[in-house]
Amino acid sequence: MEPLDNPETEIEEAEEAHPRPRSPSGVLEAAQDQFILEWGRMSSSWGINRTMAQIHALLFITGIPLEVNEIMDRLQISRGNASMNLRELMDWGVVRRFRQPGDRKDTYISETDPYAMFTRIVKERKRREIDPTAEAIREVIAKLPETDPSEDVQKLRKRLVALSEIFDLMDAAYREVFKHEISLDELKDLIHRSTRDL
């Protein structure tokens, strides 16, 4: 799924599907808080800023548009911290900013479809992390001529070429999965068929 193309429709659907509660019940708020805490904790394993993950978790788990002040109050963070991390989440394509007609305050909403959110994160991580690493490996290989007589050079070249091939396989697998905008059910079916053939 590509980034949200029709903001008005998406916002209306989000607000209709998830009417804004006056305040969450104790059970609901406790569940939300636990999810936010765990999502933030998990983020450090992925190398993602904890506050950024918690803001995303809050927007995802509540499923409703929130203003910066509401995010700050719920997570007990500063305006600067909230603003900086919201910009980063928008760069990742998992949070979008909008403003209701006649309203002067920006509101933020998260992608609430887990599969769409996951595919956007995978695509962005590949673009930011995997692709530059693969390119750097290719650049190092280019500095090691195939014709160099040194045994050490040839050993290193062979090792790096093998590593580059692994990155190429990862890229091929990524392209195969994401060459079409397939649904979660189609992906499950694809995985089921591939494991059945093993």
Side-chain angles (χ1 to χ4, degrees), residues 1-75:
M1 180 179 284
E2 293 303 314
L4 307 174
D5 292 327
N6 190 338
E8 290 77 19
T9 305
E10 297 263 345
I11 293 162
E12 287 169 12
E13 288 173 1
E15 290 176 340
E16 287 173 15
H18 306 283
R20 205 170 186 53
R22 290 201 175 116
S23 65
S25 69
V27 172
L28 178 62
E29 187 169 8
Q32 290 174 349
D33 287 345
Q34 183 176 351
F35 178 81
I36 292 165
L37 183 68
E38 288 303 315
W39 200 250
R41 184 189 58 73
M42 171 274 309
S43 70
S44 59
S45 305
W46 290 6
I48 296 170
N49 175 316
R50 181 181 291 257
T51 303
M52 177 177 154
Q54 288 181 332
I55 291 171
H56 176 246
L58 172 63
L59 292 170
F60 174 79
I61 200 70
T62 60
I64 58 173
L66 295 174
E67 296 171 4
V68 173
N69 289 340
E70 294 172 305
I71 295 167
M72 290 165 49
D73 290 346
R74 182 71 183 267
L75 299 179

Side-chain angles (χ1 to χ4, degrees), residues 83-103:
S83 298
M84 177 183 68
N85 284 292
L86 282 163
R87 276 194 302 274
E88 186 72 13
L89 286 163
M90 288 187 289
D91 287 346
W92 278 75
V94 293
V95 166
R96 190 170 42 76
R97 176 179 56 203
F98 68 94
R99 188 176 289 176
Q100 293 283 18
D103 196 345

Side-chain angles (χ1 to χ4, degrees), residues 96-148:
R96 190 170 42 76
R97 176 179 56 203
F98 68 94
R99 188 176 289 176
Q100 293 283 18
D103 196 345
R104 293 169 46 191
K105 292 182 180 176
D106 289 330
T107 311
Y108 298 86
I109 190 166
S110 170
E111 173 61 68
T112 54
D113 178 331
Y115 178 66
M117 175 188 72
F118 176 76
T119 56
R120 286 183 191 165
I121 291 171
V122 167
K123 287 177 181 180
E124 189 63 16
R125 289 205 72 151
K126 179 182 180 299
R127 186 184 72 80
R128 289 177 180 227
E129 299 165 20
I130 306 290
D131 293 347
T133 303
E135 181 58 31
I137 292 168
R138 286 191 290 270
E139 287 174 7
V140 175
I141 292 170
K143 293 178 189 237
L144 301 167
E146 284 185 76
T147 56
D148 192 302

